[in-house]
Amino acid sequence: MKLHWSPRSPFVRKVMVAAHELGLADRIQTTRTLVGAAIVAPQLLPDNPLNKIPTLVLEDGTVLYDSYVIIEYLDSLAGGRLIPREGPARFTELRRHALGNGFLDMLIQYRMERERTPPSQPMMDAFAKKFDSTLTAIDQEIEAINADPPGIAQISLAIAGDYLDFRFADLGWRERAPRYSAWQERFRQRPSMVATPVVDG
Amino acid sequence: MKLHWSPRSPFVRKVMVAAHELGLADRIQTTRTLVGAAIVAPQLLPDNPLNKIPTLVLEDGTVLYDSYVIIEYLDSLAGGRLIPREGPARFTELRRHALGNGFLDMLIQYRMERERTPPSQPMMDAFAKKFDSTLTAIDQEIEAINADPPGIAQISLAIAGDYLDFRFADLGWRERAPRYSAWQERFRQRPSMVATPVVDG
């Protein structure tokens, strides 16, 4: 399987951490694909016209995106360990994944806005409120989330913590969300996280 | 079930069209919730700290988001008609849904950028390329998509067409993607689409 990949994308990292957790990492060949809000990768468009990574191409040419779809596919190959198959446990996991994934989406938009000259003050004010409400909600729920086996929600929330350290060190998230921080310090020591470092290159 | 709702959000509309297709629309009570890149809805944050709609609150207080998670839940109540349960058909449907949903995401970002003073020219150039590649890809695949029963992918692609008419009439998408346009003209006549008009209010 070929994965359009970048070492800086937290959404790509979700797929790689999931692959390591599932014992499938050695079946994925990564190819460096640089995309961004102002950067189109021509070699990606035939596989994914949206110009987004991660995008996975299977041996038979089947293409899968976005990160959720790829992880559900990998999980199906491994017998279903990261996403419960049905019932309330499934929808709880999917909602918590949407929380972690939506937080990542928000952070990427927040960073883009912050780097504009000038940023929109009404948008920056809204980001500050949403950042606070989301960080607080994760801090309040993290112990319940931790009671379940590691799955797609925990992976996304752990990656969000590393992304905060990487891009938002100034916001003091570890002091503001001490339970989330303590949980994330433990989760980030898993081999799947250690094997997929975030590098700015 | 209570749905945080707006008549202008194409993601909310996905949920409402799905509910109509599944015969569940009369079980959903909508509550108007206004959100935006610079607009935070305080009453939404306890249910969804990300400040995003749609957000569904079940009778027992369980909260579900985003639109995909809500639709998978509604589909599970109705026996699974909009998303195949497993196998290649499932992953094809999910990838095509990610295409339609990602197109909507792109269009919303494109519109926000276009309305800035001034917009970023490198971003506007990238949007124009991604718009073209995505529209072309949908036009090329729509007949294969139409061969399957109406599901979450078709719903998303049909809503994207109406959103294009609503916000991007100047881009001439119907001339540029005649097969997609012809398919969308038919799909938009389904009762589920007629019952959920897009209104600017």
Side-chain angles (χ1 to χ4, degrees):
Chain A
M1 301 183 275
K2 180 182 85 172
L3 183 70
H4 288 283
W5 175 92
S6 147
R8 282 180 293 189
S9 162
F11 300 106
V12 168
R13 193 178 184 205
K14 283 172 58 189
V15 169
M16 293 307 299
V17 170
H20 279 278
E21 290 285 338
L22 295 167
L24 296 171
D26 61 1
R27 289 176 55 184
I28 295 176
Q29 291 182 293
T30 58
T31 178
R32 181 74 188 268
T33 302
L34 182 64
V35 301
I39 303 168
V40 173
Q43 76 279 19
L44 173 60
L45 299 183
D47 291 332
N48 184 344
L50 299 166
N51 191 52
K52 299 273 248 180
I53 58 172
T55 294
L56 185 70
V57 185
L58 307 185
E59 303 295 333
D60 69 358
T62 300
V63 177
L64 296 176
Y65 52 87
D66 55 13
S67 65
Y68 172 76
V69 178
I70 295 172
I71 292 172
E72 195 187 287
Y73 173 74
L74 295 177
D75 199 40
S76 76
L77 295 183
R81 288 156 44 191
L82 300 180
I83 309 170
R85 278 188 66 86
E86 58 194 357
R90 178 174 178 87
F91 293 105
T92 297
E93 186 76 22
L94 293 187
R95 196 264 305 155
R96 288 170 172 168
H97 167 257
L99 176 63
N101 200 66
F103 195 28
L104 282 171
D105 264 333
M106 180 204 302
L107 293 172
I108 286 166
Q109 298 292 325
Y110 195 177
R111 176 167 176 260
M112 280 176 53
E113 191 61 35
R114 191 169 68 167
E115 295 192 344
R116 294 183 86 118
T117 46
S120 151
Q121 197 55 49
M123 282 178 63
M124 289 298 285
D125 293 345
F127 276 124
K129 282 184 200 165
K130 293 185 287 186
F131 180 89
D132 186 63
S133 58
T134 305
L135 193 63
T136 301
I138 296 170
D139 200 52
Q140 287 172 351
E141 192 170 3
I142 197 68
E143 286 163 11
I145 293 171
N146 184 54
D148 288 332
I152 191 172
Q154 290 190 27
I155 290 170
S156 303
L157 290 163
I159 288 171
D162 277 359
Y163 188 80
L164 286 164
D165 286 342
F166 184 46
R167 298 294 196 193
F168 286 95
D170 56 305
L171 293 185
W173 77 276
R174 291 192 180 275
E175 293 70 37
R176 291 163 69 179
R179 288 168 293 191
Y180 178 25
S181 175
W183 170 82
Q184 201 269 348
E185 287 282 8
R186 293 195 303 276
F187 196 96
R188 72 190 304 194
Q189 293 167 30
R190 293 176 74 87
S192 60
M193 293 287 288
V194 174
T196 59
V198 182
V199 295
D200 202 355
Chain B
M1 299 183 276
K2 181 182 86 172
L3 183 70
H4 288 282
W5 173 93
S6 147
R8 282 180 292 189
S9 162
F11 301 105
V12 168
R13 194 179 184 205
K14 282 172 57 188
V15 168
M16 293 306 300
V17 170
H20 280 278
E21 290 285 339
L22 295 167
L24 295 171
D26 61 2
R27 289 177 55 184
I28 295 176
Q29 291 181 293
T30 58
T31 179
R32 179 75 188 267
T33 302
L34 182 65
V35 300
I39 304 168
V40 173
Q43 76 279 19
L44 172 60
L45 299 183
D47 292 332
N48 184 343
L50 299 165
N51 191 52
K52 299 273 248 180
I53 57 172
T55 294
L56 185 69
V57 184
L58 307 185
E59 303 295 333
D60 69 359
T62 300
V63 177
L64 297 176
Y65 52 86
D66 53 13
S67 65
Y68 173 76
V69 177
I70 296 171
I71 292 171
E72 196 189 287
Y73 173 74
L74 295 176
D75 199 40
S76 75
L77 295 183
R81 288 156 45 191
L82 301 180
I83 308 169
R85 279 188 66 87
E86 57 193 358
R90 178 175 179 85
F91 292 105
T92 297
E93 186 76 22
L94 292 188
R95 196 266 304 156
R96 288 169 172 168
H97 167 257
L99 176 64
N101 199 66
F103 195 28
L104 282 170
D105 264 332
M106 180 204 302
L107 293 171
I108 286 165
Q109 298 292 325
Y110 195 176
R111 176 167 176 259
M112 280 177 53
E113 192 60 36
R114 191 170 69 167
E115 295 192 344
R116 294 183 85 118
T117 46
S120 151
Q121 198 55 50
M123 283 178 63
M124 290 299 285
D125 292 345
F127 275 124
K129 282 185 201 165
K130 293 185 288 186
F131 179 89
D132 186 64
S133 58
T134 305
L135 193 63
T136 301
I138 296 170
D139 200 52
Q140 286 171 350
E141 192 170 3
I142 197 67
E143 287 163 11
I145 293 171
N146 183 55
D148 288 332
I152 191 173
Q154 290 189 26
I155 289 170
S156 303
L157 290 162
I159 288 171
D162 277 359
Y163 188 79
L164 286 164
D165 286 343
F166 183 46
R167 298 295 196 193
F168 286 95
D170 55 305
L171 293 185
W173 77 276
R174 291 191 180 276
E175 293 71 37
R176 291 163 69 180
R179 289 168 291 191
Y180 178 25
S181 174
W183 171 83
Q184 201 269 348
E185 287 282 7
R186 294 194 302 277
F187 195 96
R188 72 190 304 195
Q189 293 167 30
R190 293 177 74 87
S192 61
M193 293 286 288
V194 174
T196 58
V198 182
V199 296
D200 202 355

